[in-house]
Amino acid sequence: MPETTHVDYSTKIPNNVGLMDDQRVLKALEQWHPGYIDWWMTMGPDGFQTSDVYLRTAISIDPKGWAKFDYVKMPEYRWGILLAPRAEGREVNFGAHKGEPAWQEVPGEYRAMLRRLIVVQGDTEPASVEQQRYLGKTAPSLYDMRNLFQVNVEEGRHLWAMVYLLHKYFGKDGREEADQLLQRRSGDADKPRMLGAFNEETPDWLSFFMFTYFTDRDGKMQLESLAQSGFDPLSRTCRFMLTEEAHHMFVGETGVTRAVERTCQAMQEAGIEDPYDIPAVRKLGVIDLPTMQKKANLHFSLSLDLFGNEVSTNAANYYNAGVKGRFQETRIEDDHQLTGATYPVSKLVDGQIKMVEEPALTAINMRLRDDYVADCAKGMERWNKAIEKSGVAFRFKLPHVAFHRHIGEFQNIKATPDGEALGDAEWAKQKDQWLPSKADGDFIQSLMQPCWEPGRFASWITPPKVGIDNKGGDFEYVKIHRA
Ligand code: BYC
């Protein structure tokens, strides 16, 4: 079966890339499959492998009606290989090869570079499933539990997407990399996942929502940049992944909004006006807004690290080679080669944070990060609208990019959320005001009581405005059979 918009379910691995006619890759993937299932059973959602979950499965890559919903046991989910359709006459849109036909095979000179990018992207997908592994047990509702599992199976599919590219285009070393993607483990001291944020814990549902808001949004930005790639199969696979990614960010944005709404409601009902009266607010069984701000500070800063160094020759090389572009590259009006262009980069100069013009080519990571920060701020405004509507006097704010950083210009300084540099001793004294403390974590944990009756929600979160697939409020999104 040739490449189509429809997904072929006749092979063990659903696909729209004609796997039936590509026995070498089909065989390689069939060999990889048991290891994947093994990984899913040991590292995937703990305790719910025999539950029936109301999941969407991609059945087509047509933007209209690409998914169908049904009850599925997660280990039986049809993880497949889905690429957006090939655009006739597509060209390399930037860099030294601008204007050449897009590559259908890996150019030899960029092989190592492309493999590295695909492996890094692939590594984040199983990592996030590992990080979220125990959250099902404390789900605030069946609706939320289902969303968690949907995100998890789709991250699993995104791993498949990268593994397909490795098997199809990178021969023996591609197969070895694909095997290693199943060996590394989030947070493991000996074989950690590749990027920092993917070795952190996701200990509670507020973290999960912040992660899907901030870290999945890095996923969106990175996938958008890879979707610009001159290596057409990578571009096409990322374009389809973005369709799924949108739901993950929806889960994050609405999850935080619902927690915010519940807190504001509870404060109003109890006649509490001061959002900083934390003990009084916590007594209501909801999460106080200043603690939510701290969680946002943490997840935002961890996600900023995922953009790499502000000034990066790696990024310049990726761009020049035409393998990784800028956000919405084709909509930018310039020469797409950045000849002589500069870009303002925030840097540490004599202990002061200053904007410095750098060659735009080496500032690609900074530019993508700027686009990301703007995108984060937009969604945060929606949380602020929810607070405003309730009349509570509080606003969320993104911390300064120098705050709590481990990669890049600011990794060696300590800074307040307003971007004021401060000494180690002062930081140690004040950091619990800005980042979740152990006591904050313990309090949030105390609220993480499972709420698994259809239509019911935990004390700290409101129901969603609409159900998934337009289901009514008491729909049983997960039929729990524990395993
Ligand atoms: N942690 O020039 P530099 C997602 C390394 S999320 C550890 O600064 P470069 C998802 C870097 O590897 C999106 N190491 O940076 C979300 C390099 O090492 P080597 C994932 C780091 O290379 C939620 C050295 O430092 N996709 O999809 O321009 C759920 C110097 O590098 C980190 C991608 O990231 C770090 N944070 O950019 C599920 C796209 N940062 O090579 C999924 C693919 C840098 O010298 N990846 N380093 O040994 C990339 O484009 C780039 O690898 C990065 C780094 C943007 C990550």
Side-chain angles (χ1 to χ4, degrees):
M1 196 165 158
E3 293 189 355
T4 79
T5 56
H6 223 80
V7 181
D8 176 7
Y9 275 92
S10 68
T11 48
K12 198 167 176 185
I13 302 156
N15 70 93
N16 73 333
V17 293
L19 264 191
M20 272 298 257
D21 301 328
D22 196 347
Q23 287 296 315
R24 180 188 67 81
V25 176
L26 180 61
K27 285 228 164 65
L29 287 170
E30 282 179 351
Q31 273 172 20
W32 186 79
H33 190 244
Y36 172 80
I37 294 294
D38 199 37
W39 167 80
W40 179 269
M41 295 307 286
T42 48
M43 296 312 293
D46 188 44
F48 297 91
Q49 302 285 5
T50 57
S51 300
D52 291 303
V53 187
Y54 194 69
L55 292 176
R56 71 174 180 187
T57 303
I59 49 165
S60 156
I61 45 157
D62 187 337
K64 293 184 224 101
W66 59 273
K68 82 171 191 326
F69 288 84
D70 208 347
Y71 284 105
V72 179
K73 292 187 184 20
M74 285 182 280
E76 291 162 20
Y77 187 77
R78 304 297 310 272
W79 284 286
I81 293 156
L82 307 169
L83 272 62
R86 191 187 286 190
E88 267 324 301
R90 182 166 180 267
E91 294 180 347
V92 181
N93 291 317
F94 57 92
H97 301 280
K98 183 172 174 288
E100 295 176 16
W103 308 300
Q104 300 307 325
E105 295 295 330
V106 177
E109 58 195 308
Y110 304 138
R111 194 170 186 279
M113 200 183 260
L114 272 165
R115 194 186 61 205
R116 168 94 183 154
L117 286 173
I118 291 168
V119 168
V120 172
Q121 180 63 50
D123 191 69
T124 62
E125 316 289 2
S128 67
V129 175
E130 292 163 7
Q131 288 171 299
Q132 296 160 13
R133 155 150 219 250
Y134 297 111
L135 290 175
K137 296 181 184 207
T138 53
S141 71
L142 292 182
Y143 166 87
D144 290 291
M145 185 190 283
R146 178 255 165 225
N147 283 349
L148 165 72
F149 294 157
Q150 182 74 56
V151 168
N152 292 162
V153 292
E154 285 174 355
E155 300 301 7
R157 204 200 70 69
H158 292 180
L159 170 61
W160 272 91
M162 293 300 120
V163 164
Y164 167 70
L165 295 178
L166 289 170
H167 275 151
K168 167 104 180 140
Y169 297 99
F170 292 90
K172 184 165 174 288
D173 46 335
R175 288 195 294 280
E176 284 167 8
E177 293 281 15
D179 289 344
Q180 281 171 31
L181 285 168
L182 297 176
Q183 306 302 324
R184 288 186 286 273
R185 293 285 179 270
S186 173
D188 189 304
D190 298 325
K191 42 184 174 63
R193 290 294 174 183
M194 297 174 89
L195 300 178
F198 292 90
N199 288 304
E200 299 285 330
E201 286 185 359
T202 311
D204 56 65
W205 277 78
L206 183 57
S207 280
F208 171 64
F209 292 139
M210 292 291 181
F211 182 96
T212 40
Y213 185 80
F214 287 111
T215 309
D216 277 84
R217 194 171 303 272
D218 167 56
K220 167 182 150 181
M221 304 310 286
Q222 299 292 348
L223 288 173
E224 286 272 3
S225 306
L226 293 173
Q228 308 295 331
S229 185
F231 178 47
D232 206 39
L234 175 61
S235 163
R236 290 169 53 208
T237 198
C238 290
R239 271 185 271 149
F240 187 72
M241 287 161 78
L242 281 162
T243 327
E244 292 166 323
E245 200 69 35
H247 175 68
H248 305 186
M249 285 178 299
F250 161 86
V251 168
E253 183 181 322
T254 55
V256 177
T257 306
R258 289 162 52 216
V260 166
E261 280 173 354
R262 183 68 202 108
T263 299
C264 293
Q265 267 175 14
M267 285 172 64
Q268 277 177 320
E269 284 159 16
I272 299 173
E273 282 187 8
D274 179 4
Y276 294 93
D277 188 351
I278 292 170
V281 175
R282 287 187 176 180
K283 265 199 205 124
L284 306 173
V286 295
I287 307 170
D288 51 286
L289 300 174
T291 297
M292 290 197 214
Q293 172 74 62
K294 291 191 207 176
K295 281 270 193 189
N297 291 350
L298 174 66
H299 288 271
F300 177 66
S301 57
L302 290 172
S303 302
L304 289 179
D305 284 341
L306 293 172
F307 289 84
N309 284 285
E310 289 83 348
V311 176
S312 160
T313 46
N314 281 355
N317 291 339
Y318 298 151
Y319 188 84
N320 237 343
V323 303
K324 185 182 175 196
R326 292 171 293 177
F327 182 59
Q328 301 187 327
E329 179 72 42
T330 47
R331 294 198 206 164
I332 302 172
E333 289 198 13
D334 62 15
D335 69 352
H336 301 281
Q337 291 181 321
L338 306 178
T339 319
T342 61
Y343 189 85
V345 174
S346 55
K347 295 187 96 172
L348 198 63
V349 183
D350 301 330
Q352 301 270 315
I353 299 164
K354 292 207 167 127
M355 296 309 277
V356 178
E357 289 291 322
E358 289 284 343
L361 203 51
T362 54
I364 294 271
N365 286 345
M366 175 76 193
R367 177 171 180 141
L368 190 63
R369 199 186 75 191
D370 281 345
D371 290 333
Y372 168 79
V373 172
D375 208 49
C376 286
K378 255 193 255 161
M380 195 170 245
E381 267 319 295
R382 287 193 276 275
W383 302 342
N384 283 333
K385 282 253 161 62
I387 304 176
E388 230 171 72
K389 234 168 62 197
S390 73
V392 172
F394 188 90
R395 281 184 69 74
F396 286 111
K397 200 173 158 223
L398 289 176
H400 192 280
V401 291
F403 173 74
H404 188 238
R405 298 298 307 283
H406 299 94
I407 300 272
E409 277 295 311
F410 307 116
Q411 61 179 316
N412 295 322
I413 63 158
K414 301 280 189 293
T416 69
D418 290 330
E420 301 291 329
L422 79 175
D424 284 355
E426 204 48 38
W427 166 263
K429 232 192 280 162
Q430 299 204 58
K431 78 174 182 0
D432 282 357
Q433 289 175 36
W434 304 320
L435 290 169
S437 64
K438 162 110 182 33
D440 295 328
D442 290 347
F443 168 70
I444 296 174
Q445 261 332 316
S446 75
L447 293 183
M448 297 295 120
Q449 302 301 329
C451 191
W452 293 351
E453 243 171 79
R456 285 206 50 229
F457 288 81
S459 65
W460 59 273
I461 192 162
T462 58
K465 294 219 163 37
V466 279
I468 293 295
D469 193 29
N470 285 320
K471 294 296 176 200
D474 57 357
F475 183 71
E476 193 175 8
Y477 288 100
V478 184
K479 294 183 179 165
I480 297 174
H481 313 284
R482 305 291 307 272

